[in-house]
Amino acid sequence: MSIDRRKLLGISAAGLAGVALTDALARAAEAIGKNKPSLEDAQRQGTQAHEALMAVPGMHMHGSEQVALLLYPGFTALDLIGPHFFLASMMGATVHLVAAQREPVLSDVGVAMLPTARFDEVPEKLDVLLVPGGAEGTVAAARDAATLAFVKSRGANARYVASVCTGAVILGAAGLLAGRRATSHWGVREALADFGAKPVDQRVVLDGKLVTGAGVSAGLDLGLALIGLLRGKPFAEAVQLMAEYAPAPAYHAGTPGSAPRAIEQSVRGMFAPLLVETRALAAGT
Amino acid sequence: MSIDRRKLLGISAAGLAGVALTDALARAAEAIGKNKPSLEDAQRQGTQAHEALMAVPGMHMHGSEQVALLLYPGFTALDLIGPHFFLASMMGATVHLVAAQREPVLSDVGVAMLPTARFDEVPEKLDVLLVPGGAEGTVAAARDAATLAFVKSRGANARYVASVCTGAVILGAAGLLAGRRATSHWGVREALADFGAKPVDQRVVLDGKLVTGAGVSAGLDLGLALIGLLRGKPFAEAVQLMAEYAPAPAYHAGTPGSAPRAIEQSVRGMFAPLLVETRALAAGT
């Protein structure tokens, strides 16, 4: 879904006024009921359906948010692309993938993505600044002066500052967690206290303008929550339906409490070096 | 997580034999209990924990799978990156992002990713061929001769052929759905019948070597299921825990049945053009 996601969601605000919800829905339903509609019929249905969606009470279909997602070497691609799906569904919003340079940025497992903007090319005033996590690369980014300066300055001015997974560590290094409730990947969550935060074991934590997500896959929940904050519940529900976001994992080991103990103990131990590096960062050493 | 995900998961198979599970776990737990371990201590904990994880009964930590994920203009990034996270966590596996050319490929909302291989550069015999969805771009890819030839030939030889969302349409055009149970994004699912498949309303559908996922976000469930098929349940559980995949959406509108009716009807109508284009493709027109 999505050049169309945008095109369909955006089909033009013209013609909105005067379209009765029930009327448009009835037409769309009737058209869908047809067995072999022509493409022209279908496009008319699509336009009517779009207008019907815009007429749903409380629907905020259009906006002009400025959103920036940080790319840095070693980021985890799913931490970024999970929330990106939801944020990029906001018709009228501008979503930047921002990095120090315009060159491709390699993720932790070698997925190369191209930034759309350099640090100095995104607006001073952002609606959302979002920082994905990673492992060694995240600690390195949190120690990088240019990255930290960008996160500090845009974070101070942003309407919402968000992180997924260990991205919270970068926010912590930028001083954006002090005194706030926050979460991160379970393997390093306790270290958020070293940055002055109150660690919370929750999927998505909202405290003032700070929105933090748990590990990796929590980026989808964070993205959905963010568009709910920015555009309201009906819009978030529409995008959730487009994403068919009704998760059903085949296994049930997604949290330390639910995973088999031998697996949990081992994976926890594997996080020990990252935890130590995070604490050293917080301690300024 | 993940240059480390790999490094940690892979820390070397050496020294595995002879490490008693209980011993390694006890050491890791003891080390974690310490208040301020040095980085060296922590790295030793990490190594021990890795060995303990490898010693979990039924754990298949290493392999040599060849995996290819298709990039094409207009693909939906989350359809690709969701399963990619899980597949790229398989230590020893090679995960290709394959496209017609090595140039950056633009997603439906303008995320540019770099392929790691051209069609002629991936092995004839793949363990997994995975095709993400999209909208107009997906129909265009399904009509592109080179793309179709690649999917047909590698699909015929692959151990598993997988799709996320409308990626199933490309598999259908390549003749890989005929006679099989399959799913796709709910908005086009019924059209799978036009390719000779039996559409199934299920998050992930396994039929022989065909593994299809529902819309967009179902790629995470599909990826998790796939690594379970390839590496077994304990490995899948370990990666699920690393991904903290215990989803908790803030809204409950992820399926046509759970979304508010006005939203469901409208979004369904917006899929009408894609449905018609998909059916025209299946009809060979």
Side-chain angles (χ1 to χ4, degrees):
Chain A
M1 298 300 90
S2 226
I3 283 293
D4 316 66
R5 221 194 315 147
R6 282 190 168 240
K7 211 176 71 182
L8 287 172
L9 282 173
I11 271 177
S12 88
L16 171 63
V19 174
L21 172 65
T22 46
D23 185 35
L25 278 180
R27 271 190 259 168
E30 178 206 6
I32 292 155
K34 286 188 196 176
N35 222 347
K36 298 260 179 195
S38 69
L39 184 56
E40 203 179 55
D41 284 345
Q43 282 163 342
R44 198 162 33 241
Q45 293 163 36
T47 305
Q48 289 164 353
H50 177 257
E51 287 165 351
L53 188 60
M54 290 178 74
V56 167
M59 181 64 68
H60 303 290
M61 198 86 125
H62 290 269
S64 56
E65 296 89 346
Q66 289 283 336
V67 176
L69 288 75
L70 182 69
L71 287 178
Y72 59 85
F75 76 103
T76 297
L78 183 53
D79 290 18
L80 183 94
I81 293 298
H84 185 276
F85 178 91
F86 294 94
L87 293 164
S89 295
M90 296 195 300
M91 194 57 213
T94 305
V95 181
H96 307 276
L97 296 180
V98 62
Q101 306 293 336
R102 289 281 200 133
E103 279 85 61
V105 180
L106 269 185
S107 84
D108 50 6
V109 290
V111 176
M113 292 192 204
L114 282 168
T116 61
R118 288 192 318 265
F119 290 156
D120 59 351
E121 292 176 317
V122 305
E124 288 294 332
K125 174 77 187 153
L126 294 169
D127 292 281
V128 178
L129 170 67
L130 184 144
V131 179
E136 288 164 358
T138 307
V139 177
R143 289 185 180 279
D144 177 70
T147 303
L148 218 50
F150 172 79
V151 171
K152 272 185 193 176
S153 74
R154 295 310 194 281
N157 292 324
R159 188 166 157 210
Y160 290 106
V161 176
S163 64
V164 176
C165 196
T166 56
V169 170
I170 296 177
L171 299 186
L176 296 167
L177 297 186
R180 301 264 186 202
R181 299 168 70 248
T183 193
S184 181
H185 190 286
W186 63 268
V188 302
R189 188 180 297 136
E190 61 188 270
L192 297 186
D194 298 31
F195 297 102
K198 181 175 163 18
V200 180
D201 179 5
Q202 207 172 284
R203 194 80 179 148
V204 177
V205 177
L206 174 66
D207 184 349
K209 69 184 231 177
L210 181 70
V211 196
T212 51
V216 191
S217 60
L220 280 76
D221 295 323
L222 179 120
L224 180 63
L226 266 176
I227 63 169
L229 287 169
L230 292 164
R231 295 281 178 104
K233 182 179 176 182
F235 182 83
E237 288 177 326
V239 177
Q240 182 178 19
L241 182 57
M242 286 183 208
E244 202 165 351
Y245 189 39
Y251 304 102
H252 303 284
T255 60
S258 61
R261 188 164 162 75
I263 290 174
E264 182 264 324
Q265 286 284 300
S266 303
V267 176
R268 186 181 294 277
M270 289 160 62
F271 274 89
L274 186 60
L275 195 55
V276 168
E277 286 181 62
T278 300
R279 291 196 147 146
L281 170 72
T285 58
Chain B
M1 296 306 89
S2 222
I3 283 291
D4 318 63
R5 220 194 314 146
R6 283 192 166 237
K7 211 176 71 180
L8 286 173
L9 282 174
I11 271 178
S12 88
L16 170 63
V19 175
L21 172 64
T22 47
D23 184 36
L25 278 179
R27 271 190 261 169
E30 179 206 4
I32 291 155
K34 288 187 197 176
N35 222 347
K36 296 260 179 193
S38 69
L39 184 55
E40 202 180 55
D41 284 345
Q43 282 162 343
R44 199 163 32 242
Q45 293 164 36
T47 305
Q48 288 163 355
H50 178 259
E51 287 165 352
L53 188 59
M54 290 178 75
V56 168
M59 180 64 68
H60 303 290
M61 198 87 127
H62 290 268
S64 56
E65 295 89 346
Q66 290 284 337
V67 175
L69 287 76
L70 183 69
L71 288 179
Y72 58 85
F75 76 103
T76 297
L78 184 52
D79 291 18
L80 183 93
I81 293 298
H84 185 277
F85 178 90
F86 294 93
L87 293 164
S89 295
M90 295 194 301
M91 194 57 214
T94 305
V95 181
H96 308 276
L97 296 180
V98 62
Q101 307 293 335
R102 288 280 200 135
E103 279 85 62
V105 181
L106 269 185
S107 84
D108 50 7
V109 290
V111 177
M113 290 191 204
L114 281 169
T116 62
R118 288 192 319 263
F119 289 156
D120 59 352
E121 292 176 317
V122 305
E124 288 293 332
K125 174 76 186 154
L126 293 169
D127 291 280
V128 178
L129 170 67
L130 185 144
V131 179
E136 288 163 358
T138 307
V139 177
R143 290 184 181 280
D144 177 69
T147 303
L148 218 50
F150 172 78
V151 172
K152 271 185 193 173
S153 75
R154 295 309 194 283
N157 292 323
R159 187 165 158 211
Y160 291 106
V161 175
S163 63
V164 176
C165 196
T166 56
V169 169
I170 296 177
L171 298 186
L176 296 167
L177 297 186
R180 302 262 185 202
R181 300 168 69 247
T183 193
S184 183
H185 190 285
W186 63 268
V188 302
R189 187 179 297 135
E190 60 188 272
L192 298 185
D194 297 32
F195 297 102
K198 180 174 164 16
V200 179
D201 179 5
Q202 208 171 284
R203 194 79 179 150
V204 178
V205 177
L206 174 66
D207 184 348
K209 67 184 233 178
L210 181 70
V211 195
T212 50
V216 192
S217 61
L220 279 76
D221 295 322
L222 178 120
L224 180 63
L226 266 175
I227 63 169
L229 288 169
L230 292 165
R231 295 280 179 104
K233 182 179 176 182
F235 182 83
E237 289 176 327
V239 177
Q240 182 178 18
L241 182 57
M242 286 184 209
E244 202 163 352
Y245 189 39
Y251 304 102
H252 304 284
T255 60
S258 60
R261 188 164 163 73
I263 289 175
E264 182 264 324
Q265 287 284 300
S266 302
V267 175
R268 187 181 294 278
M270 288 159 62
F271 274 89
L274 186 60
L275 195 56
V276 168
E277 286 180 63
T278 299
R279 290 195 148 145
L281 170 72
T285 57

